[in-house]
Amino acid sequence: MDASTADPGHGAGEYAQECRVAVRAAEDAGALLRSRFHGAFRVDAKGADGDVVTELDLLAEELLTRRLAGHYPADRIRAEEGGGQAGAPGARRTWLVDPLDGSNNVVIGLPAYVVGVALCVDDEPVLGVVHDPVAGHTWRAVRGAGAYGPAGLLWAPARPARAARPVLGWTQGHGVPPGDPVARALKDALESGAGRVLQLWAPLLTWSLLARGLIDGFVGYRAEEIDLPAGLLLATEAGLEVRALDGGPFSARTGRPEAARSYVAGRPETVPHLLDLVARASAR
C-alpha cells in the first residue's frame, strides 16, 4: 500500500496531524451521507434563490465541526450551514467546512456530491481535503507540499492540445441572479469554444476532476467562499494554474468580496485559450 494512502499525514509536513484529523472526519461524514443517501430525509428551502439544505447536510456538519472542535478548541470553525465555533480571541486559524457539496443533486437522487474541509492560517489556505463518498476516494493537499489521492502523489500531466475542443467545468455563486448578463455572456463564450461545459452543482467535485486531469479547465463566476480554498489548493498543488478573469493573479485569501471570487483554472498550457474565451464574453 502506498504510504500516502496508508497515512493521510504522509508528506503534509507541519500540518500532518491536521491532515489526518481532516481526512478521517471527512471520510466519516462521507460514510454517514452514503448510508442515508437512499433513505428518507428532510429537505428545506435555503434562501430565495432555489438552494436547499437537507437533514444530511446538518448531520454531516455536526459530525465534522464536533470532530474538529474536539481536536482544535482554539481554532475558529466556519461551516456551510452556520455551525462552528468562534475560537480563541485572536485565533489565526480557521477551518472551513462544506459537509455536503452537491445538496441539490442529492435531493433528486443524483450521486454526485462530496465533503470538503479546508484550514486557513491568517486567511490563507494551507490544507484542503475533498472526499467523494460515492467512489470512496479522498484527495488532499497542503500548501507547498503537493496534492495526494488514492494512488499517491497527484499531478495533472501536461498533454498536447486536444484535437477536439476542451471539456470545461462551470460554477457560479448562489447569489448570482437569474439572467445575470455577465454570467450569461461567460457561459455563451465558453460553450462556443468548448466541446462540453459541465455544471455539476458541486464545485469541489469539479475541482477534483480538474486536479486529476479528467477535464481541461474550470471557470467560476462569483464563486462561493466556503468551498473555494480546498478545491483551489488541490488544483494548484497538482500543478494547475488559477488566474483572475482578466488574466491577472488570483488570490486564494478568504474574506474577499464576492466580485473577487471569479477565476479561470487549468493546465498552464491551456489557460491562455480559456482566457481568450473569457475575453470574448467581455467583447459582447
Side-chain angles (χ1 to χ4, degrees), residues 81-95:
E81 309 307 335
Q85 67 180 21
R92 298 175 55 212
R93 300 179 13 140
T94 302
W95 292 91

Side-chain angles (χ1 to χ4, degrees), residues 22-91:
V23 165
R24 288 165 183 158
E27 291 179 346
D28 286 349
L32 184 157
L33 295 172
R34 188 171 58 249
S35 71
R36 297 285 302 273
F37 178 78
H38 293 291
F41 49 83
R42 192 180 72 252
V43 180
D44 297 311
K46 180 180 173 182
D49 56 8
D51 198 12
V52 297
V53 58
T54 74
E55 181 182 4
L56 305 189
D57 292 79
L58 301 177
L59 290 171
E61 181 169 292
E62 195 279 332
L63 184 157
L64 287 159
T65 56
R66 174 167 40 84
R67 188 78 59 84
L68 293 171
H71 282 87
Y72 305 106
D75 292 357
R76 287 191 295 264
I77 301 175
R78 287 178 51 204
E80 172 74 15
E81 309 307 335
Q85 67 180 21

